[in-house]
Amino acid sequence: DDPKNKGGFAYSPFESKAGEEETPDGRTALRSYGSMSYAGLLSMIYAKLSPDDPRVVAVKNWLSQNYTLEENPGMGAQGLYYYYQTMSKALTAANIDMLTLENGKQADWRNELAVRLLSKQREDGSWLNENGRWMESNPVLVTAFTVLSLAQIHDAIPQK
C-alpha cells in the first residue's frame, strides 16, 4: 500500500534491484522500478488478464505516474535500454497509443521514444549505455535492445 510503489513491480517478491525503503509505518517495502513494471504488465497481458483487472490497472497507474525517458525509474541509468525495450513491447502489446500521465497530459510515447533513441545513436551506428550494469556497456546488446524498440514503434505506424 506504499503510494510510491503501489502497482509497480520489483525483481521478485523477495528482492528489488532498486533496493528497499522504510515506509512511514516502519515496515520495509521493496522499491518498484520501471523495467520490471513494464515486464510485469507484459506478463499480465500474456496471462490474458483483462485491461480492467485491478492488477493491470494498478501497474498502468504506476507506469503513468513514473513515465520518463530520462532514466529507468527507480534505477537511474542502470538497465536503461532494457527499460526502453520492455516499455515499447509492453505498451504495444497493451494497445496503448497515448499514455495518460499523472497530470492528465497525454504522452505520445512512441514518438518521444523514437526521438530519444535516434538522438543517442553513436557515429558508428550503435548504441551504448555508459552505465554498464547488466552488460549495457556492450554495444551489441544495447543496439539489439534499441533495434527491437524501434521495430515495435515502426510496426505500429499505420500503413498508407
Side-chain angles (χ1 to χ4, degrees), residues 19 22 29 31 45 58 69-70 86 91 96 111 119 121 124 140-141 149:
E22 190 172 323
R31 290 183 60 222
I45 292 166
L69 298 176
E70 301 298 317
T86 56
L91 292 177
I96 296 173
N111 182 56
S119 75
Q121 188 173 23
D124 69 357
V140 174
L141 177 66
S149 298

Side-chain angles (χ1 to χ4, degrees), residues 9-11 35-50 55-56 59 63 82 86 89-91 93-94:
F9 278 69
Y11 189 72
S35 53
M36 283 302 106
S37 296
Y38 280 113
L41 172 60
L42 194 56
S43 295
M44 288 189 271
I45 292 166
Y46 289 160
K48 300 187 187 303
L49 297 182
S50 70
R55 296 163 291 186
V56 175
V59 73
L63 292 167
Y82 177 72
T86 56
K89 193 170 185 177
L91 292 177

Side-chain angles (χ1 to χ4, degrees), residues 3-40:
K4 290 189 297 189
N5 294 297
K6 187 174 184 172
F9 278 69
Y11 189 72
S12 81
F14 312 105
E15 175 187 11
S16 173
K17 302 297 183 185
E20 303 173 344
E21 59 190 8
E22 190 172 323
T23 63
D25 64 3
R27 296 184 321 167
T28 299
L30 297 176
R31 290 183 60 222
S32 298
Y33 56 106
S35 53
M36 283 302 106
S37 296
Y38 280 113

Side-chain angles (χ1 to χ4, degrees), residues 69 79-89 92 109-110 112-122 124-130 135-155:
L69 298 176
L80 183 61
Y81 287 84
Y82 177 72
Y83 165 71
Y84 293 151
Q85 198 275 319
T86 56
M87 171 193 282
S88 61
K89 193 170 185 177
T92 298
W109 68 268
R110 285 187 182 97
E112 293 172 13
L113 181 55
V115 168
R116 176 80 175 181
L117 291 171
L118 294 173
S119 75
K120 297 292 185 183
Q121 188 173 23
R122 298 179 343 152
D124 69 357
S126 69
W127 284 265
L128 177 76
N129 187 346
E130 296 297 327
M135 296 179 53
E136 283 204 355
S137 60
N138 180 329
V140 174
L141 177 66
V142 174
T143 300
F145 284 154
T146 304
V147 170
L148 288 168
S149 298
L150 291 170
Q152 288 284 344
I153 293 165
H154 177 268
D155 289 348

Side-chain angles (χ1 to χ4, degrees), residues 94-107:
N95 295 312
I96 296 173
D97 293 321
M98 301 293 281
L99 192 61
T100 302
L101 306 182
E102 188 174 32
N103 62 9
K105 291 185 179 180
Q106 298 281 309

